Amino acid sequence: MSATIFGPRIMLIGGGSIGRVGEVLQKLRVSRPLIVTDPYMVSSGMIAQLTDPLSKAGIAYDVFSETVPDPTTTVVSAGTERLRSGGFDGLIGFGGGSPMDTAKAMNILAAHGGQMRDYKVPNGVDTAAVPLLCIPTTAGTGSEVTRGTVITDVETDEKMLVMCLAGQADAAIVDYELTMKKPFRLTADTGIDSFTHALEAFVSQKRNPYSDSMAIAAMERIGANLKTACFEPDNRAAREQMMLGATQAGLAFSNASVALVHGMSRPIGAHFHVPHGLSNAMLLPAVTKFSLESALDRYAQAGRLIGAADAKDSDETAANKLLDWLYQTNEELQVPTPPAYGIEEAKWTGLMETMASQCIASGSHANNPRIPEHGEIVELYKQVWAANR
């Protein structure tokens, strides 16, 4: 069986690599980029880590900083108009997953018009308007190397997955030093997000030898460094390993697809505005427990890779040690349950049927080792509410 592998044309990885942004843009033949970022990057002054080397390289730029967490069609439309009217010949997505996903969506709309819902899975396109450089400032989404972007349709409250070649960045700069000041909650949520990417890619029904190699490397790195990065935020070695692990996990799932956790997570983000990494963390133990017997050997291997189990453990024991590690990690990293997060029970239960339908419509559930029926997804939402073990 052959596998088609996608990734950026250029990847610059390592501490301080953002200082070479001018060199990367030159290779892309970009002389006037529009930077897509969020208000905090501007107000905190962190954007200077990008704009200073741009100015030093003599590259003119402008900034679109109106992105929001869980990017919306409204913001994408505004950004697209800015891209079209400003005479820009390139885009830079700078920040977490939201700015990078917004830049991808803008690039698709600027090239093809219409509405973002026109391009959601399975309807994709292969070409974008201008070269795109993605620079992550969190060790989580892997969006810098994936073909995916997730945009919330404000008219339907649907968190839409767009997965196509037009969503692939042309280049990525992965500089772990950009993550050194990230707080505990963000480090924890993005770290669990990246582990979810790797684990789901590893058990996905669309996996292949290349995605396996990236998922294995990512799980080893994240398993060994996640808690250190959270509890020792100045630990440069842990930050570097988490950043590389997040990128490897992005390459894994972009080439194997995510599964049920992500299918269930997107509706939670759309309806309750829970950050993506956090909603993944809420779901991961329960969904893994549901799926365990259908890919016991794979989950067992994951348990060994992260050090929760060892070679002498049977597959059943190793897989259950992985599950215990997931529950324990959520406890140690203070991942809240939906009610602890402040979600109203009546609204959660009232939307479970809708969320299950949206999960199925995304298609991600069909990549899971155990493919759930609608009613089983509803039951999983019930379990996640109560955080049942």
Side-chain angles (χ1 to χ4, degrees), residues 18-30:
I18 195 171
R20 296 171 60 189
V21 62
E23 173 187 327
V24 174
L25 291 178
Q26 185 178 29
K27 291 180 184 298
L28 297 177
R29 299 182 181 274
V30 172

Side-chain angles (χ1 to χ4, degrees), residues 13-323:
I13 299 175
S17 55
I18 195 171
R20 296 171 60 189
V21 62
E23 173 187 327
V24 174
L25 291 178
Q26 185 178 29
K27 291 180 184 298
L28 297 177
R29 299 182 181 274
V30 172
S31 60
R32 179 171 160 73
L34 175 63
I35 300 169
V36 180
T37 190
D38 61 51
Y40 176 77
M41 290 292 168
V42 176
S43 65
S44 68
M46 189 172 177
I47 196 171
Q49 296 185 66
L50 170 60
T51 56
D52 285 354
L54 285 176
S55 298
K56 187 175 180 180
I59 296 173
Y61 62 84
D62 204 348
V63 177
F64 176 78
S65 62
E66 285 75 49
T67 67
V68 295
D70 295 320
T72 65
T73 48
T74 302
V75 170
V76 170
S77 294
T80 303
E81 180 56 33
R82 182 78 168 275
L83 174 60
R84 284 172 170 163
S85 63
F88 302 103
D89 60 0
L91 278 167
I92 302 176
F94 181 70
S98 296
M100 290 188 287
D101 279 10
T102 301
K104 292 180 179 188
M106 289 164 51
N107 215 10
I108 292 171
L109 277 190
H112 299 281
Q115 304 292 325
M116 278 312 299
R117 68 177 69 99
D118 299 332
Y119 308 106
K120 68 181 182 179
V121 170
N123 304 313
V125 286
D126 292 336
T127 57
V130 295
L132 168 64
L133 165 62
C134 281
I135 307 174
T137 61
T138 62
T141 69
S143 188
E144 69 275 8
V145 293
T146 75
R147 293 174 293 135
T149 177
V150 178
I151 306 296
T152 299
D153 190 328
V154 296
E155 295 182 13
T156 63
D157 271 342
E158 178 186 1
K159 206 169 182 180
M160 303 177 295
L161 172 63
V162 177
M163 181 72 80
C164 58
L165 189 55
Q168 181 75 66
D170 297 277
I173 295 178
V174 182
D175 185 341
Y176 77 90
E177 292 182 355
L178 297 173
T179 72
M180 293 300 298
K181 301 296 184 182
K182 295 298 180 287
F184 177 91
R185 183 76 268 145
L186 183 61
T187 300
D189 294 346
T190 54
I192 298 175
D193 186 23
S194 58
F195 183 79
T196 305
H197 293 153
L199 182 60
E200 289 212 293
F202 193 59
V203 300
S204 169
Q205 297 201 37
K206 293 183 177 179
R207 64 184 182 265
N208 58 71
Y210 175 83
S211 65
D212 276 356
S213 71
M214 291 293 103
I216 288 168
M219 284 190 287
E220 286 183 317
R221 283 194 162 85
I222 297 165
N225 292 281
L226 171 58
K227 294 173 187 178
T228 302
C230 290
F231 294 111
E232 300 175 24
D234 294 329
N235 189 311
R236 295 176 66 86
R239 292 286 192 180
E240 182 174 19
Q241 292 301 307
M242 287 300 296
M243 193 66 153
L244 180 54
T247 296
Q248 290 174 322
L251 286 166
F253 88 80
S254 187
N255 288 287
S257 295
V258 287
L260 182 56
V261 173
H262 277 74
M264 292 180 65
S265 177
R266 294 185 204 102
I268 294 175
H271 294 290
F272 301 102
H273 306 293
V274 178
H276 174 68
L278 182 55
S279 59
N280 277 351
M282 291 176 177
L283 289 160
L284 184 57
V287 172
T288 300
K289 184 177 182 180
F290 170 83
S291 309
L292 213 61
E293 291 299 324
S294 296
L296 197 65
D297 59 334
R298 289 252 153 182
Y299 286 116
Q301 188 174 351
R304 297 183 186 104
L305 287 166
I306 63 173
D310 55 43
K312 72 177 185 295
D313 289 320
S314 68
D315 280 357
E316 183 174 4
T317 298
N320 278 288
K321 284 185 176 181
L322 165 68
L323 187 59

